[in-house]
Amino acid sequence: MSAALDTYCVMGDPIAHSRSPWIHARFAELTGERLSYEARRVPLADFADALRRFALEGGRGCNITVPLKREAARLSHTRSERVAQAGAANTLVLQGGRIHADNTDGLGLVADIEQGAGVPLAGRDVLLIGAGGAAAGVLGPLLARAPRRIAVCNRTAARAEELVARHLGSAKLSKTELLALDQQALDADFDLIINATSSSLSGGPVPVPARVLRPGALAYDMMYGPPAQGFLDWAGAHGAVSRDGLGMLVEQAAQSFLLWRGVRPPSTQVLSELRALLAA
Ligand code: ATR
């Protein structure tokens, strides 16, 4: 008789669209790891119960997505430095009745920019648009790569200022100039522009002027599929190289898989397969 499979899941609401079960099933196949991974729709009000139930069933780990990331950080017994800084978690490790929270979103973004797009962050000028959960999850790992400058620009200026204030210690360590820039007074240009807003979901336009794009700049949207298209078209029309967040999705999953299994999956191969699948 074979031993029961180690079980993992992704929790969020909505969850039907999630590609995580497919990605982790492919990682498991390609690395020979024996595990199961499913999607569970969990509204915020049910999250604590759902987590308890999953732990009692013997669950080994979860990915956490919208709208549960902040609560995941709060409910956990221990947190990585990345979670403490982001105030949000996307990866939980369940062991011996205890929950450890980590956040692999920023590592996924950095890996996709540096390896996927081939743009090393060290010494670059970066514009991070947005100051919500998505931006907060990636600022620490971006700073750790020692860019020359990161400007954070947000519709609500006070949120950008608060996010910057929370990261000044990390900026000092990496010798990065970190500042909040007013959306109206944005007249500098950048090597890398990262869209971490949800503006496109409400049909909003790209929230910055095209002059922020230095010639040949990389314009990165953390979303993928139809919500990213407007930003990618805008970047292309103004001479920038554009990239959606599908690689970030696969890379953050790879980092979670590594945390859970101690094995690094072949993320480049899985990203090409997923692109082909979505294009079909
Ligand atoms: P998420 O977890 O996706 O980051 P969030 O915490 O609600 O979600 O943050 C959404 C981000 O998108 C915020 O930076 C928000 O700006 P505000 O802080 O001013 O709300 C930004 N955003 C959403 N809709 C926008 C729009 N139409 N124009 C510009 N920015 C927008």
Side-chain angles (χ1 to χ4, degrees):
M1 203 177 75
S2 64
L5 289 179
D6 289 344
T7 57
Y8 297 85
C9 71
V10 56
M11 295 186 184
D13 184 23
I15 204 66
H17 67 287
S18 175
R19 299 286 166 184
S20 292
W22 186 90
I23 295 170
H24 282 282
R26 255 335 255 144
F27 285 169
E29 270 168 16
L30 291 166
T31 56
E33 291 289 301
R34 296 188 68 254
L35 57 88
S36 73
Y37 187 111
E38 64 180 32
R40 294 190 174 191
R41 189 177 78 81
V42 178
L44 186 57
D46 300 343
F47 183 38
D49 280 346
L51 207 49
R52 209 170 297 124
R53 242 184 347 262
F54 187 57
L56 286 173
E57 290 164 18
R60 300 287 298 273
C62 339
N63 283 130
I64 302 298
T65 188
V66 175
L68 309 174
K69 290 185 181 183
R70 293 186 74 83
E71 192 63 2
R74 208 183 61 80
L75 287 173
S76 298
H77 300 101
T78 54
R79 292 158 202 86
S80 71
E81 183 56 37
R82 289 189 286 266
V83 170
Q85 215 171 23
N90 79 332
T91 306
L92 302 181
V93 181
L94 277 50
Q95 204 164 30
R98 293 180 67 78
I99 304 172
H100 176 70
D102 209 325
N103 193 323
T104 64
D105 284 334
L107 299 180
L109 175 68
V110 165
D112 193 48
I113 290 171
E114 295 199 319
Q115 279 105 56
V119 175
L121 284 156
R124 306 282 175 151
D125 291 341
V126 180
L127 176 64
L128 179 63
I129 317 167
V138 301
L139 185 52
L142 285 171
L143 282 166
R145 304 303 297 164
R148 190 173 78 104
R149 176 185 211 213
I150 299 184
V152 181
C153 165
N154 191 48
R155 178 176 63 180
T156 310
R159 279 184 99 186
E161 281 155 22
E162 188 271 334
L163 185 60
V164 163
R166 265 198 294 137
H167 285 80
L168 286 176
S170 305
K172 197 168 171 199
L173 281 178
S174 64
K175 300 190 169 57
T176 301
E177 181 194 354
L178 177 63
L179 71 166
L181 282 185
D182 198 315
Q183 209 169 310
Q184 265 67 48
L186 208 51
D187 58 2
D189 60 4
F190 299 85
D191 304 304
L192 169 63
I193 290 89
I194 301 169
N195 185 16
T197 74
S198 55
S199 148
S200 63
L201 295 180
S202 54
V206 173
V208 293
R211 64 174 175 272
V212 299
L213 296 164
R214 203 164 273 176
L218 174 65
Y220 194 105
D221 198 316
M222 285 170 53
M223 296 200 190
Y224 62 90
Q229 203 54 52
F231 181 83
L232 302 183
D233 291 346
W234 168 84
H238 293 94
V241 176
S242 64
R243 190 169 176 90
D244 70 6
L246 200 64
M248 175 181 173
L249 176 76
V250 172
E251 294 295 346
Q252 63 78 30
Q255 294 287 341
S256 298
F257 194 91
L258 177 62
L259 273 173
W260 292 327
R261 310 298 297 182
V263 176
R264 191 178 292 280
S267 49
T268 310
Q269 176 184 342
V270 172
L271 174 57
S272 328
E273 290 178 2
L274 183 57
R275 276 210 194 282
L277 183 77
L278 296 182

